[in-house]
Amino acid sequence: MFVSLRRFGVLTVTALTLLATSALALDTVKFMVPGPSGGGYDQTARLLGKALIEAKAAKAVTFENKGGAGGTLGLAQFANSTKGDPNALLIVGAVMVGAVVQNKPPITLEKVTPIARLFHEYNVIAVRNASPHKTLDDLLTEFKANPSSVKWAGGSKGSVDHIGIAELAGKLNIPIDKVNYIAFGGGGEAVAATLGGHVTAITGGYAELSKYIESGQFRVLAVGSPSRIASVDAPTLKEQGLDMTIDNWRGVYGAANLTPAQRQEATDAVLAATNTNVWKESLQANAWLPSFISGDDFAKFVEDEHSRLRDMLIKVGLL
């Protein structure tokens, strides 16, 4: 079978052969989104769903949102309800790994099947446009002088957002028990609190906050990337004297009890999706940096993430 290079981009002959034999392996893909509508997990699922359809790697897609406990409630429901289903996919990320480490739920990622890591993204620190804090230095001056007066909005307790602010406090020699971090179950709630002036600053992935940034409702004071991101008009934390990054990643797991062939079919479908124009355009629009790995390499990465995040949670006093 001939497979168009224009459809899939530049791939190896082996990858093209796999895609040619399994492009229609998935029927209706059922996404479990372990967070609220409009959040980072939800954005990832819906864009990946579009890409699967464009790649003809799935006939249709559906989405179910189940937020709470850093994504571990959605994980538990997915693990229990989809065993052996090759058409079920779960969106995962560093937030979920951190929640597993911190909360020690009875059902962990070991109960489901690793498919692929998709991309990395970096947090921004932003304030509403009416805020008196025009620069990061303005914000940190108040934070150092009166730590508890600065209310930080972000994701769930122990999330990348929470760890990032705790690490920031550590860099400034501010005790963790003085940090006034307010955990929200979804990005929309954190945004509403920030726009309403109920919190001082918000931290989260650029994609979740981008429409408020681009409309001028939020002002970005810093980005947590190692170097500047072209689409984000703000200096990095490193540029402003803070030797740290705040980053997240997202990936996909399949159901428990998949056969090796079913796991490969799911991996091939996701790979095909990441080579579509809709996916590549989404990466650029959301300042997501592609970092695709799959199979055992992805499983090893997640294992290492458990260790890294456990060490970080201990270091910043959250575990």
Side-chain angles (χ1 to χ4, degrees), residues 144-191:
K144 286 184 284 188
N146 188 2
S148 61
S149 71
V150 176
K151 297 178 182 178
W152 300 91
S156 58
K157 182 181 178 183
S159 66
V160 168
D161 304 344
H162 193 185
I163 292 171
I165 297 306
E167 186 179 5
L168 175 63
K171 296 287 184 184
L172 301 173
N173 297 314
I174 295 171
I176 187 66
D177 62 355
K178 300 295 185 185
V179 177
N180 191 355
Y181 181 86
I182 303 172
F184 289 89
E189 296 173 4
V191 165

Side-chain angles (χ1 to χ4, degrees), residues 233-249:
D233 184 19
T236 66
L237 291 168
K238 286 180 177 287
E239 283 180 76
Q240 301 181 82
L242 296 159
D243 187 18
M244 60 178 288
T245 59
I246 308 176
D247 66 295
N248 191 8
W249 56 268

Side-chain angles (χ1 to χ4, degrees), residues 85-275:
D85 185 350
N87 296 298
L89 294 177
L90 167 72
I91 302 298
V92 303
V95 172
M96 183 183 291
V97 175
V100 167
V101 170
Q102 191 168 42
N103 301 332
K104 300 179 177 61
I107 295 178
T108 70
L109 286 166
E110 293 180 355
K111 300 293 186 180
V112 286
T113 304
I115 300 298
R117 185 184 71 193
L118 300 170
F119 59 81
H120 274 79
E121 71 168 347
Y122 294 93
N123 271 34
V124 297
I125 293 174
V127 295
R128 65 175 183 152
N129 190 47
S131 169
H133 305 104
K134 305 300 182 185
T135 66
L136 182 66
D137 187 59
D138 291 342
L139 179 63
L140 297 187
T141 296
E142 181 181 343
F143 192 34
K144 286 184 284 188
N146 188 2
S148 61
S149 71
V150 176
K151 297 178 182 178
W152 300 91
S156 58
K157 182 181 178 183
S159 66
V160 168
D161 304 344
H162 193 185
I163 292 171
I165 297 306
E167 186 179 5
L168 175 63
K171 296 287 184 184
L172 301 173
N173 297 314
I174 295 171
I176 187 66
D177 62 355
K178 300 295 185 185
V179 177
N180 191 355
Y181 181 86
I182 303 172
F184 289 89
E189 296 173 4
V191 165
T194 308
L195 291 175
H198 305 297
V199 298
T200 313
I202 186 170
T203 184
Y206 175 78
E208 285 190 77
L209 306 181
S210 61
K211 66 180 180 181
Y212 305 100
I213 295 167
E214 291 165 6
S215 68
Q217 293 172 279
F218 281 168
R219 179 168 56 253
V220 180
L221 304 183
V223 59
S225 54
S227 57
R228 287 210 183 196
I229 297 175
S231 58
V232 184
D233 184 19
T236 66
L237 291 168
K238 286 180 177 287
E239 283 180 76
Q240 301 181 82
L242 296 159
D243 187 18
M244 60 178 288
T245 59
I246 308 176
D247 66 295
N248 191 8
W249 56 268
R250 292 205 182 86
V252 186
Y253 268 63
N257 303 335
L258 295 185
T259 66
Q262 288 172 331
R263 183 181 182 185
Q264 189 62 59
E265 287 169 355
T267 303
D268 293 342
V270 172
L271 175 61
T274 64
N275 281 283

